[in-house]
Short mmCIF file of all heavy atoms in Angstrom, two decimals:
data_model
loop_
_atom_site.label_atom_id
_atom_site.label_comp_id
_atom_site.label_asym_id
_atom_site.label_seq_id
_atom_site.Cartn_x
_atom_site.Cartn_y
_atom_site.Cartn_z
N PRO L 928 -11.96 6.08 -3.96
CA PRO L 928 -11.62 7.24 -4.75
C PRO L 928 -12.68 8.36 -4.32
O PRO L 928 -13.84 8.04 -4.31
CB PRO L 928 -11.84 6.79 -6.24
CG PRO L 928 -12.00 5.25 -6.19
CD PRO L 928 -12.52 4.94 -4.76
N PHE L 930 -13.97 12.64 -4.93
CA PHE L 930 -13.78 13.86 -5.76
C PHE L 930 -14.04 15.06 -4.93
O PHE L 930 -15.08 15.06 -4.13
CB PHE L 930 -14.83 13.81 -6.86
CG PHE L 930 -14.53 12.60 -7.75
CD1 PHE L 930 -15.53 11.56 -7.62
CD2 PHE L 930 -13.47 12.49 -8.59
CE1 PHE L 930 -15.25 10.41 -8.44
CE2 PHE L 930 -13.32 11.35 -9.46
CZ PHE L 930 -14.20 10.29 -9.39
N MET L 944 -22.90 8.60 -12.05
CA MET L 944 -22.47 7.63 -11.07
C MET L 944 -23.36 7.79 -9.76
O MET L 944 -22.87 8.37 -8.77
CB MET L 944 -20.94 7.99 -10.65
CG MET L 944 -19.98 7.88 -11.76
SD MET L 944 -18.24 8.22 -11.14
CE MET L 944 -17.97 6.73 -10.17
N MET L 971 -8.25 7.80 -2.18
CA MET L 971 -7.47 8.30 -3.45
C MET L 971 -8.28 9.56 -3.85
O MET L 971 -9.41 9.50 -4.15
CB MET L 971 -7.65 7.26 -4.52
CG MET L 971 -7.00 7.83 -5.88
SD MET L 971 -5.29 8.40 -5.73
CE MET L 971 -4.50 6.83 -5.72
N PHE L 973 -9.12 13.17 -5.84
CA PHE L 973 -9.08 13.74 -7.16
C PHE L 973 -9.65 15.22 -6.96
O PHE L 973 -10.63 15.39 -6.21
CB PHE L 973 -9.93 13.04 -8.10
CG PHE L 973 -9.55 11.67 -8.56
CD1 PHE L 973 -9.97 10.67 -7.75
CD2 PHE L 973 -8.71 11.50 -9.66
CE1 PHE L 973 -9.63 9.29 -8.19
CE2 PHE L 973 -8.30 10.20 -9.89
CZ PHE L 973 -8.72 9.14 -9.17
N ASP L 1013 -4.16 11.53 -6.81
CA ASP L 1013 -4.06 11.28 -8.17
C ASP L 1013 -3.01 12.19 -8.73
O ASP L 1013 -3.13 13.51 -8.58
CB ASP L 1013 -5.41 11.56 -8.95
CG ASP L 1013 -5.38 11.15 -10.41
OD1 ASP L 1013 -5.01 9.99 -10.75
OD2 ASP L 1013 -5.59 12.01 -11.27
N LEU L 1014 -1.89 11.74 -9.32
CA LEU L 1014 -0.96 12.59 -9.87
C LEU L 1014 -1.09 12.61 -11.48
O LEU L 1014 -0.41 11.65 -12.08
CB LEU L 1014 0.51 12.14 -9.49
CG LEU L 1014 1.51 13.26 -9.36
CD1 LEU L 1014 2.77 12.93 -8.58
CD2 LEU L 1014 1.92 13.52 -10.96
N CYS L 1015 -1.81 13.51 -11.88
CA CYS L 1015 -2.00 13.52 -13.39
C CYS L 1015 -2.68 15.02 -13.72
O CYS L 1015 -3.21 15.57 -12.79
CB CYS L 1015 -3.08 12.52 -13.80
SG CYS L 1015 -3.22 12.28 -15.49
N LEU L 1016 -2.40 15.46 -14.99
CA LEU L 1016 -2.77 16.82 -15.13
C LEU L 1016 -4.22 16.86 -15.72
O LEU L 1016 -4.67 18.14 -15.88
CB LEU L 1016 -1.76 17.43 -16.18
CG LEU L 1016 -0.52 17.86 -15.49
CD1 LEU L 1016 0.52 18.31 -16.61
CD2 LEU L 1016 -0.62 18.91 -14.55
N ASP L 1017 -4.91 15.80 -16.17
CA ASP L 1017 -6.01 15.94 -16.94
C ASP L 1017 -7.23 16.71 -16.20
O ASP L 1017 -8.03 17.39 -16.89
CB ASP L 1017 -6.53 14.57 -17.41
CG ASP L 1017 -7.02 13.68 -16.20
OD1 ASP L 1017 -6.38 13.73 -15.27
OD2 ASP L 1017 -8.13 12.98 -16.44
N GLU L 1018 -7.32 16.70 -14.87
CA GLU L 1018 -8.25 17.38 -14.28
C GLU L 1018 -8.04 18.93 -14.29
O GLU L 1018 -9.03 19.70 -13.96
CB GLU L 1018 -8.51 16.96 -12.76
CG GLU L 1018 -9.00 15.59 -12.56
CD GLU L 1018 -8.02 14.51 -12.43
OE1 GLU L 1018 -6.87 14.96 -11.82
OE2 GLU L 1018 -8.02 13.40 -12.65
N GLY L 1023 -7.85 18.96 -21.55
CA GLY L 1023 -8.16 17.67 -20.74
C GLY L 1023 -7.17 16.54 -21.02
O GLY L 1023 -7.47 15.41 -20.50
N CYS L 1025 -3.75 14.51 -20.29
CA CYS L 1025 -2.93 14.16 -19.05
C CYS L 1025 -1.57 14.81 -19.01
O CYS L 1025 -0.87 14.63 -17.95
CB CYS L 1025 -2.82 12.54 -18.86
SG CYS L 1025 -4.41 11.77 -18.66
N GLY L 1059 -0.42 8.59 -6.72
CA GLY L 1059 -0.95 7.75 -7.73
C GLY L 1059 -0.60 8.30 -9.15
O GLY L 1059 -1.33 9.13 -9.62
N LEU L 1060 0.50 7.77 -9.79
CA LEU L 1060 0.82 8.32 -11.07
C LEU L 1060 0.02 7.72 -12.17
O LEU L 1060 0.27 6.47 -12.52
CB LEU L 1060 2.35 8.07 -11.25
CG LEU L 1060 3.35 8.92 -10.62
CD1 LEU L 1060 3.18 9.07 -9.14
CD2 LEU L 1060 4.81 8.69 -11.04
N SER L 1061 -0.94 8.40 -12.68
CA SER L 1061 -1.89 7.73 -13.59
C SER L 1061 -1.81 8.32 -15.06
O SER L 1061 -2.70 8.14 -15.87
CB SER L 1061 -3.27 7.98 -13.04
OG SER L 1061 -3.73 9.42 -13.11
N GLY L 1062 -0.72 9.15 -15.34
CA GLY L 1062 -0.82 9.82 -16.65
C GLY L 1062 -0.07 9.06 -17.76
O GLY L 1062 -0.21 9.45 -18.89
N MET L 1063 0.57 7.91 -17.48
CA MET L 1063 1.07 7.05 -18.55
C MET L 1063 2.05 7.77 -19.38
O MET L 1063 2.20 7.45 -20.59
CB MET L 1063 0.04 6.51 -19.47
CG MET L 1063 -0.90 5.49 -18.75
SD MET L 1063 -0.03 3.99 -18.14
CE MET L 1063 0.24 3.11 -19.60
N TYR L 1088 0.16 3.63 -11.81
CA TYR L 1088 -0.90 3.06 -12.71
C TYR L 1088 -0.28 2.39 -13.96
O TYR L 1088 -0.18 3.19 -14.90
CB TYR L 1088 -1.86 4.04 -13.05
CG TYR L 1088 -2.80 4.69 -12.15
CD1 TYR L 1088 -2.39 5.04 -10.76
CD2 TYR L 1088 -4.17 4.78 -12.36
CE1 TYR L 1088 -3.32 5.60 -9.78
CE2 TYR L 1088 -4.99 5.42 -11.40
CZ TYR L 1088 -4.45 5.80 -10.16
OH TYR L 1088 -5.47 6.43 -9.26
N LYS L 1091 -2.33 0.75 -17.57
CA LYS L 1091 -3.66 1.67 -17.66
C LYS L 1091 -3.96 1.52 -19.14
O LYS L 1091 -3.29 2.14 -20.05
CB LYS L 1091 -3.38 3.02 -17.12
CG LYS L 1091 -4.64 3.83 -17.21
CD LYS L 1091 -4.50 5.12 -16.52
CE LYS L 1091 -5.66 6.05 -16.77
NZ LYS L 1091 -5.64 7.27 -16.00
N PHE L 1092 -5.16 0.93 -19.31
CA PHE L 1092 -5.68 0.78 -20.69
C PHE L 1092 -6.69 1.99 -21.20
O PHE L 1092 -7.07 2.64 -20.35
CB PHE L 1092 -6.38 -0.47 -20.80
CG PHE L 1092 -5.42 -1.66 -20.70
CD1 PHE L 1092 -5.13 -2.19 -19.39
CD2 PHE L 1092 -4.83 -2.27 -21.83
CE1 PHE L 1092 -4.24 -3.26 -19.29
CE2 PHE L 1092 -4.00 -3.35 -21.68
CZ PHE L 1092 -3.70 -3.81 -20.41
N ALA L 1093 -6.48 2.22 -22.50
CA ALA L 1093 -7.41 3.32 -23.16
C ALA L 1093 -8.76 2.70 -23.09
O ALA L 1093 -9.18 2.12 -24.01
CB ALA L 1093 -6.87 3.75 -24.39
N SER L 1094 -9.53 2.98 -22.16
CA SER L 1094 -10.78 2.32 -21.88
C SER L 1094 -12.01 3.26 -22.01
O SER L 1094 -12.07 4.32 -21.50
CB SER L 1094 -10.83 1.67 -20.48
OG SER L 1094 -11.95 1.04 -20.18
N ALA L 1095 -13.18 2.60 -22.56
CA ALA L 1095 -14.43 3.32 -22.55
C ALA L 1095 -14.90 3.39 -21.18
O ALA L 1095 -15.87 4.11 -20.80
CB ALA L 1095 -15.46 2.57 -23.48
N PHE L 1096 -14.47 2.50 -20.33
CA PHE L 1096 -15.07 2.40 -18.93
C PHE L 1096 -14.72 3.60 -18.05
O PHE L 1096 -15.07 3.63 -16.84
CB PHE L 1096 -14.69 1.08 -18.22
CG PHE L 1096 -15.26 -0.02 -19.03
CD1 PHE L 1096 -14.56 -1.02 -19.67
CD2 PHE L 1096 -16.72 -0.25 -19.08
CE1 PHE L 1096 -15.03 -2.08 -20.44
CE2 PHE L 1096 -17.23 -1.31 -19.61
CZ PHE L 1096 -16.41 -2.22 -20.38
N TYR L 1097 -13.87 4.54 -18.51
CA TYR L 1097 -13.62 5.76 -17.74
C TYR L 1097 -14.72 6.79 -18.09
O TYR L 1097 -14.68 7.96 -17.44
CB TYR L 1097 -12.30 6.39 -18.16
CG TYR L 1097 -11.14 5.44 -17.99
CD1 TYR L 1097 -10.04 5.55 -18.91
CD2 TYR L 1097 -11.02 4.46 -17.11
CE1 TYR L 1097 -8.85 4.76 -18.80
CE2 TYR L 1097 -9.96 3.68 -16.93
CZ TYR L 1097 -8.84 3.77 -17.93
OH TYR L 1097 -7.82 2.86 -17.93
N GLY L 1098 -15.63 6.47 -18.81
CA GLY L 1098 -16.76 7.43 -19.22
C GLY L 1098 -17.29 8.21 -18.11
O GLY L 1098 -17.25 9.51 -18.19
N PRO L 1099 -17.92 7.66 -17.11
CA PRO L 1099 -18.55 8.51 -16.14
C PRO L 1099 -17.51 9.26 -15.21
O PRO L 1099 -17.80 10.28 -14.75
CB PRO L 1099 -19.16 7.35 -15.15
CG PRO L 1099 -19.30 6.17 -16.12
CD PRO L 1099 -18.15 6.18 -17.03
N PHE L 1100 -16.40 8.81 -15.22
CA PHE L 1100 -15.27 9.59 -14.48
C PHE L 1100 -15.08 10.98 -15.15
O PHE L 1100 -14.86 11.98 -14.51
CB PHE L 1100 -13.96 8.83 -14.53
CG PHE L 1100 -12.76 9.57 -13.86
CD1 PHE L 1100 -12.47 9.43 -12.52
CD2 PHE L 1100 -11.95 10.44 -14.62
CE1 PHE L 1100 -11.33 10.16 -11.96
CE2 PHE L 1100 -10.87 11.03 -14.09
CZ PHE L 1100 -10.65 10.89 -12.77
N ARG L 1101 -15.14 11.03 -16.48
CA ARG L 1101 -15.04 12.23 -17.15
C ARG L 1101 -16.10 13.30 -16.75
O ARG L 1101 -15.78 14.48 -16.65
CB ARG L 1101 -15.19 12.01 -18.70
CG ARG L 1101 -13.97 11.02 -19.24
CD ARG L 1101 -12.85 11.51 -19.67
NE ARG L 1101 -11.70 10.39 -19.79
CZ ARG L 1101 -11.37 9.80 -20.84
NH1 ARG L 1101 -12.01 9.98 -22.02
NH2 ARG L 1101 -10.41 8.86 -20.76
N ALA L 1103 -17.38 13.05 -13.71
CA ALA L 1103 -16.99 13.27 -12.32
C ALA L 1103 -16.11 14.41 -12.10
O ALA L 1103 -16.14 15.17 -11.17
CB ALA L 1103 -16.55 12.01 -11.73
N VAL L 1104 -15.05 14.46 -12.99
CA VAL L 1104 -14.06 15.58 -12.90
C VAL L 1104 -14.38 16.67 -13.87
O VAL L 1104 -13.46 17.50 -14.10
CB VAL L 1104 -12.64 14.93 -13.00
CG1 VAL L 1104 -12.38 13.88 -11.96
CG2 VAL L 1104 -12.38 14.33 -14.48
N SER L 1106 -14.17 16.64 -17.11
CA SER L 1106 -13.05 16.69 -18.06
C SER L 1106 -13.50 17.57 -19.31
O SER L 1106 -14.57 17.43 -19.88
CB SER L 1106 -12.86 15.30 -18.44
OG SER L 1106 -11.86 15.25 -19.52
N LEU L 1108 -11.76 16.96 -22.04
CA LEU L 1108 -11.10 16.25 -23.22
C LEU L 1108 -11.99 16.14 -24.44
O LEU L 1108 -13.16 15.76 -24.29
CB LEU L 1108 -10.70 14.82 -22.71
CG LEU L 1108 -9.96 14.02 -23.65
CD1 LEU L 1108 -8.60 14.51 -23.87
CD2 LEU L 1108 -9.96 12.52 -23.27
N ARG L 1112 -7.17 9.28 -25.52
CA ARG L 1112 -5.79 9.12 -24.83
C ARG L 1112 -5.14 7.97 -25.49
O ARG L 1112 -4.14 7.41 -24.95
CB ARG L 1112 -6.02 8.86 -23.41
CG ARG L 1112 -6.83 9.84 -22.62
CD ARG L 1112 -6.65 9.82 -21.16
NE ARG L 1112 -7.64 10.47 -20.32
CZ ARG L 1112 -7.69 11.76 -20.31
NH1 ARG L 1112 -6.99 12.60 -21.06
NH2 ARG L 1112 -8.50 12.33 -19.50
N TYR L 1115 -1.15 7.65 -25.25
CA TYR L 1115 -0.39 7.30 -24.02
C TYR L 1115 -0.99 6.14 -23.26
O TYR L 1115 -0.22 5.34 -22.53
CB TYR L 1115 -0.17 8.57 -23.18
CG TYR L 1115 -1.31 9.47 -23.11
CD1 TYR L 1115 -2.06 9.53 -21.87
CD2 TYR L 1115 -1.60 10.48 -24.09
CE1 TYR L 1115 -2.98 10.57 -21.76
CE2 TYR L 1115 -2.65 11.30 -23.89
CZ TYR L 1115 -3.34 11.44 -22.70
OH TYR L 1115 -4.39 12.32 -22.55
N GLN L 1116 -2.30 5.94 -23.37
CA GLN L 1116 -2.78 4.65 -22.67
C GLN L 1116 -2.75 3.45 -23.58
O GLN L 1116 -2.67 3.59 -24.78
CB GLN L 1116 -4.24 4.99 -22.14
CG GLN L 1116 -4.30 6.08 -21.18
CD GLN L 1116 -5.72 6.42 -20.75
OE1 GLN L 1116 -6.64 5.95 -21.28
NE2 GLN L 1116 -5.75 7.27 -19.65
N MET L 1141 -0.36 -1.12 -10.54
CA MET L 1141 -1.75 -1.15 -10.68
C MET L 1141 -2.15 -1.55 -12.06
O MET L 1141 -1.50 -1.10 -13.04
CB MET L 1141 -2.47 0.11 -10.19
CG MET L 1141 -3.94 -0.10 -10.13
SD MET L 1141 -4.64 0.94 -8.76
CE MET L 1141 -4.58 2.45 -9.43
N LYS L 1143 -5.56 -1.27 -14.54
CA LYS L 1143 -6.81 -0.47 -14.63
C LYS L 1143 -7.39 -0.45 -15.94
O LYS L 1143 -6.51 -0.11 -16.89
CB LYS L 1143 -6.48 0.90 -14.04
CG LYS L 1143 -7.46 1.87 -14.17
CD LYS L 1143 -6.99 3.23 -13.76
CE LYS L 1143 -8.04 4.37 -14.00
NZ LYS L 1143 -7.50 5.61 -13.74
N PRO L 1144 -8.74 -0.44 -16.19
CA PRO L 1144 -9.81 -0.91 -15.37
C PRO L 1144 -9.45 -2.41 -14.79
O PRO L 1144 -8.46 -2.99 -15.13
CB PRO L 1144 -10.98 -1.00 -16.23
CG PRO L 1144 -10.66 -0.14 -17.46
CD PRO L 1144 -9.16 -0.32 -17.66
N TYR L 1166 -7.98 -1.27 -10.05
CA TYR L 1166 -8.85 0.01 -9.97
C TYR L 1166 -10.17 -0.33 -10.59
O TYR L 1166 -10.24 -0.59 -11.91
CB TYR L 1166 -8.26 1.27 -10.64
CG TYR L 1166 -8.95 2.56 -10.24
CD1 TYR L 1166 -8.24 3.71 -10.13
CD2 TYR L 1166 -10.35 2.65 -10.14
CE1 TYR L 1166 -8.85 5.00 -9.82
CE2 TYR L 1166 -11.03 4.01 -9.95
CZ TYR L 1166 -10.22 5.07 -9.68
OH TYR L 1166 -10.71 6.22 -9.44
N GLN L 1167 -11.20 -0.55 -9.78
CA GLN L 1167 -12.54 -0.92 -10.41
C GLN L 1167 -13.05 0.43 -10.83
O GLN L 1167 -13.46 1.30 -9.96
CB GLN L 1167 -13.47 -1.60 -9.38
CG GLN L 1167 -14.72 -2.01 -9.91
CD GLN L 1167 -15.63 -2.74 -8.86
OE1 GLN L 1167 -15.64 -2.34 -7.72
NE2 GLN L 1167 -16.25 -3.87 -9.19
N VAL L 1168 -13.06 0.84 -12.10
CA VAL L 1168 -13.31 2.23 -12.52
C VAL L 1168 -14.77 2.61 -12.56
O VAL L 1168 -15.67 1.80 -12.43
CB VAL L 1168 -12.60 2.48 -13.79
CG1 VAL L 1168 -11.07 2.19 -13.74
CG2 VAL L 1168 -13.18 1.66 -15.02
N SER L 1169 -14.99 3.82 -12.85
CA SER L 1169 -16.27 4.45 -12.85
C SER L 1169 -17.29 3.69 -13.71
O SER L 1169 -18.47 3.48 -13.29
CB SER L 1169 -16.22 5.83 -13.36
OG SER L 1169 -15.58 5.96 -14.63
N GLY L 1170 -16.90 3.27 -14.95
CA GLY L 1170 -17.83 2.50 -15.75
C GLY L 1170 -18.32 1.27 -15.18
O GLY L 1170 -19.43 0.76 -15.39
N GLU L 1171 -17.41 0.52 -14.58
CA GLU L 1171 -17.66 -0.72 -13.85
C GLU L 1171 -18.63 -0.53 -12.73
O GLU L 1171 -19.65 -1.21 -12.53
CB GLU L 1171 -16.43 -1.35 -13.38
CG GLU L 1171 -15.29 -1.51 -14.27
CD GLU L 1171 -14.13 -2.16 -13.75
OE1 GLU L 1171 -14.17 -3.24 -13.27
OE2 GLU L 1171 -12.97 -1.59 -13.74
N TYR L 1172 -18.45 0.67 -11.99
CA TYR L 1172 -19.47 1.04 -11.09
C TYR L 1172 -20.86 1.34 -11.67
O TYR L 1172 -21.84 0.69 -11.16
CB TYR L 1172 -18.93 2.23 -10.24
CG TYR L 1172 -19.87 2.92 -9.33
CD1 TYR L 1172 -19.80 2.48 -7.88
CD2 TYR L 1172 -20.70 3.77 -9.60
CE1 TYR L 1172 -20.69 3.02 -7.07
CE2 TYR L 1172 -21.61 4.35 -8.72
CZ TYR L 1172 -21.63 3.96 -7.42
OH TYR L 1172 -22.43 4.66 -6.47
N LEU L 1206 -9.20 -0.46 -5.51
CA LEU L 1206 -9.78 0.95 -5.58
C LEU L 1206 -11.22 0.76 -6.11
O LEU L 1206 -11.38 0.24 -7.16
CB LEU L 1206 -9.01 1.88 -6.46
CG LEU L 1206 -7.84 2.70 -5.83
CD1 LEU L 1206 -6.66 1.69 -5.59
CD2 LEU L 1206 -7.54 3.79 -6.56
N TYR L 1208 -15.41 2.41 -5.86
CA TYR L 1208 -16.32 3.34 -5.31
C TYR L 1208 -17.39 2.90 -4.20
O TYR L 1208 -18.05 3.60 -3.61
CB TYR L 1208 -17.12 4.15 -6.43
CG TYR L 1208 -16.20 4.75 -7.37
CD1 TYR L 1208 -15.72 4.11 -8.54
CD2 TYR L 1208 -15.66 6.10 -7.08
CE1 TYR L 1208 -14.73 4.81 -9.32
CE2 TYR L 1208 -14.77 6.78 -7.97
CZ TYR L 1208 -14.35 6.05 -9.06
OH TYR L 1208 -13.49 6.71 -9.91
C1 PBG W 618 -6.48 10.30 -14.96
C2 PBG W 618 -7.45 9.18 -14.36
C3 PBG W 618 -8.61 8.70 -14.97
C4 PBG W 618 -9.15 7.92 -14.02
C5 PBG W 618 -8.36 7.79 -12.94
N1 PBG W 618 -7.28 8.61 -13.15
C6 PBG W 618 -9.28 8.98 -16.21
C7 PBG W 618 -8.56 8.89 -17.52
O1 PBG W 618 -7.45 8.23 -17.59
O2 PBG W 618 -9.29 9.27 -18.49
C8 PBG W 618 -10.35 7.04 -14.29
C9 PBG W 618 -11.06 6.42 -13.03
C10 PBG W 618 -12.40 5.96 -13.25
O3 PBG W 618 -13.00 5.87 -14.37
O4 PBG W 618 -12.95 5.69 -12.29
N2 PBG W 618 -6.43 11.43 -13.99
#
Side-chain angles (χ1 to χ4, degrees):
F930 305 101
M944 299 181 73
M971 171 59 75
F973 295 90
D1013 186 58
L1014 201 164
C1015 187
L1016 287 173
D1017 66 319
E1018 290 99 26
C1025 294
L1060 276 61
S1061 66
M1063 291 300 286
Y1088 288 43
K1091 180 170 177 180
F1092 291 85
S1094 174
F1096 296 111
Y1097 307 147
F1100 175 92
R1101 306 263 163 99
V1104 299
S1106 169
L1108 185 69
R1112 306 201 195 288
Y1115 41 104
Q1116 298 180 346
M1141 186 147 77
K1143 175 188 177 184
Y1166 195 144
Q1167 184 178 45
V1168 302
S1169 58
E1171 303 180 63
Y1172 173 89
L1206 275 72
Y1208 297 95

